[in-house]
Amino acid sequence: MASTSKNFPPSSSGFLGKPLVLPDKKRGSGNCTCKSENKFSVQAETACVSRSMRWWEKNLKPNMVKIHSAQELVCSLQNAGDRLVIIDFYSPGCGGCKALHPKICQLAEQNPNAILLEVNYEELKNMCHCLNIHVLPFFRFYRGAEGRLCSFSCTNATIKKFKTALAKHGSNRCSLGPAKGLDESELMELASAGELSLSSLQLPPLKQDSREDLAIMRSMELSGLFNKADNNRMKLEKEGALL
């Protein structure tokens, strides 16, 4: 009886537990593709995929939220109030990310008041470049009006950095003012790269119609005034069309 052989990419266990440095050039996805010998092969492969979850989808807790776009990231940070928000940047092909994932899920379960935003580097590569994310796994901590509290890369071997940051910033406290979220320069970078529409953000109305004045006003308004009344939104969108 003839046997069907399948070629799989070589194991990448050599970099387990170590940070993955990401080059600027696009790298191959390394996905495994299997040729179907007959109609039964396709059904068997589909059933296998449906039964097995990918490692970054396993053991997720209710406070772990998958991010699909820059707009979702900005809105999640703005709507978090005073809760601690941790952005987890990972890649499916990163051995260090895979090894660390179970511990991150465990820490998320132990800290239900914190929000963990899961960002897949391969799906949102352009956004990650705008945020200067070039090493994985990578984490950013945010809280309310304080904005970004800290950022660092860590692996299983250096998980103490994550636990220390969680102990330092995890206690509940009230911060005055609206949640800051991303820095102004990061918002502008995302907008210029086409990852974010400034007209969709809740900004106060702009006072002048010239293109130059609109650019100046937008950069000034991005200092954290995202929670103004909704009746200003139509005027903002009309003026934003001039850009």
Side-chain angles (χ1 to χ4, degrees):
M1 180 181 294
S3 60
T4 303
S5 62
K6 299 179 181 179
N7 295 324
F8 294 91
S11 172
S12 56
S13 59
F15 55 90
L16 286 175
K18 298 182 180 179
L20 175 65
V21 179
L22 302 168
D24 291 333
K25 294 183 179 180
K26 227 175 186 180
R27 302 181 66 180
S29 62
N31 291 335
C32 174
T33 57
C34 303
K35 295 182 179 179
S36 57
E37 295 291 336
N38 50 51
K39 61 180 180 180
F40 300 106
S41 300
V42 177
Q43 296 175 356
E45 184 176 351
T46 303
C48 180
V49 171
S50 63
R51 286 197 302 266
S52 62
M53 295 180 66
R54 294 167 291 189
W55 67 260
W56 59 94
E57 298 173 338
K58 295 180 179 179
N59 303 317
L60 296 181
K61 307 307 174 185
N63 57 335
M64 299 178 75
V65 181
K66 183 174 176 58
I67 296 299
H68 301 90
S69 67
Q71 191 73 39
E72 280 191 16
L73 179 64
V74 171
C75 291
S76 296
L77 288 169
Q78 290 178 4
N79 295 329
D82 291 326
R83 295 179 66 181
L84 177 66
V85 180
I86 304 170
I87 307 179
D88 176 7
F89 297 91
Y90 70 92
S91 172
C94 171
C97 301
K98 181 178 180 179
L100 189 62
H101 180 71
K103 288 189 176 180
I104 297 300
C105 293
Q106 184 181 24
L107 290 170
E109 185 176 24
Q110 295 171 357
N111 297 270
N113 290 328
I115 302 173
L116 278 82
L117 304 180
E118 301 291 304
V119 175
N120 187 330
Y121 178 91
E122 299 303 327
E123 292 182 359
L124 299 171
K125 189 171 294 185
N126 190 37
M127 184 193 80
C128 291
H129 283 176
C130 293
L131 299 178
N132 294 314
I133 306 300
H134 301 294
V135 177
L136 298 176
F138 197 83
F139 301 91
R140 283 186 175 188
F141 283 57
Y142 291 82
R143 185 188 286 277
E146 298 177 66
R148 193 198 306 183
L149 303 171
C150 63
S151 57
F152 55 87
S153 177
C154 76
T155 63
N156 251 342
T158 56
I159 187 64
K160 185 179 179 181
K161 288 197 293 185
F162 189 98
K163 293 180 178 179
T164 299
L166 194 57
K168 180 179 180 180
H169 304 294
S171 58
N172 293 330
R173 59 181 181 269
C174 179
S175 57
L176 300 177
K180 180 179 179 182
L182 298 181
D183 294 336
E184 175 185 335
S185 59
E186 293 174 327
L187 291 172
M188 298 300 291
E189 183 69 23
L190 289 169
S192 64
E195 293 291 323
L196 186 67
S197 173
L198 295 185
S199 61
S200 65
L201 300 178
Q202 297 179 10
L203 299 175
L206 303 179
K207 297 180 180 180
Q208 301 190 37
D209 293 334
S210 70
R211 185 173 299 179
E212 181 177 339
D213 288 333
L214 281 172
I216 295 174
M217 289 298 295
R218 283 240 168 110
S219 64
M220 293 174 63
E221 300 294 351
L222 283 171
S223 60
L225 304 176
F226 292 104
N227 294 318
K228 293 296 182 180
D230 289 338
N231 58 2
N232 293 328
R233 186 170 182 176
M234 291 184 64
K235 185 176 180 181
L236 173 62
E237 292 177 350
K238 180 179 178 181
E239 293 173 342
L242 299 174
L243 291 178

